[in-house]
Amino acid sequence: MPLALVTGAARADSIAAGIVTRLRADGWDVATSDLAGTDFDADLSTPDGPGALLEAVVEARGPVEALVLSHAHGVESGILDTTAESFDRHVAVNARASLLLIAAFARQVPDGGGAVVALTSDHTTGNLPYGASKGALDRIVISAARELGGQGISANVVNPGPIDTGWMDDETREGLVPYHPLGRLGRPQDIADVVAFLVSPAGRWVSGQLLNADGGFTARY
């Protein structure tokens, strides 16, 4: 049974939780992590946390074949009110931790290769440090597709657009639906289906891509 590590899966209604459910249904053994504690505790804001997490998972469960990066730190602020400390924390969690997790993953990946999928966002205005750190994440993952392809590792970024994971009020839901060509908001299982394909052997020819898996939400631009 292949092993996947999914980060950021603490909330039951999150995208990551939906991914965990789908991967397990597909026959994956799934390890999860979050600062709040699920299978493995990890503080991804520290330089040593990401490597320690991979090491703990491999020691307990064996080599990891799929790495799904769904963890995120986000505090809304703009150019004039973003502090250096806040910006640094966003970069540490959203970008640096992802880089270190990917590197640790590549060092232990089985001979048959593996897959990396990261969840991103195009939100920037009014949420600058989050958006900037996610932009860095995009470049890290796309670079991984080139640098690690020789090991049989595919790497992709998925932008899910607005997903109804419990954070929306009724007004927000009603305001967003008209922007979706399919006539509804995205659900965690929609993204889980995409991720499940990308980490499967059938999906690994797709690599180095930033995919808008958003039901056509961005087609309005």
Side-chain angles (χ1 to χ4, degrees), residues 21-141:
T21 298
R22 172 59 196 269
L23 291 183
R24 285 176 174 160
D26 285 357
W28 288 82
D29 181 18
V30 182
T32 63
S33 77
D34 193 271
L35 183 59
T38 46
D39 284 356
F40 296 87
D41 289 330
D43 185 352
L44 298 182
S45 69
T46 67
D48 297 330
L53 169 60
L54 250 297
E55 183 178 354
V57 173
V58 172
E59 182 176 351
R61 309 272 280 273
V64 178
E65 188 173 321
L67 176 64
V68 181
L69 301 172
S70 188
H71 65 276
H73 174 69
V75 178
E76 291 190 3
S77 63
I79 289 176
L80 298 181
D81 59 347
T82 296
T83 66
E85 292 77 13
S86 175
F87 189 85
D88 287 349
R89 183 169 179 82
H90 280 82
V91 172
V93 175
N94 299 341
R96 185 183 69 190
S98 298
L99 167 64
L100 296 175
L101 281 166
I102 292 169
F105 170 76
R107 294 187 182 106
Q108 60 78 65
V109 76
D111 290 340
V116 175
V117 178
L119 298 182
T120 191
S121 171
D122 55 10
H123 194 185
T124 51
T125 304
N127 207 1
L128 175 68
Y130 178 77
S133 59
K134 284 293 190 176
L137 166 68
D138 298 348
R139 296 301 182 264
I140 290 167
V141 176

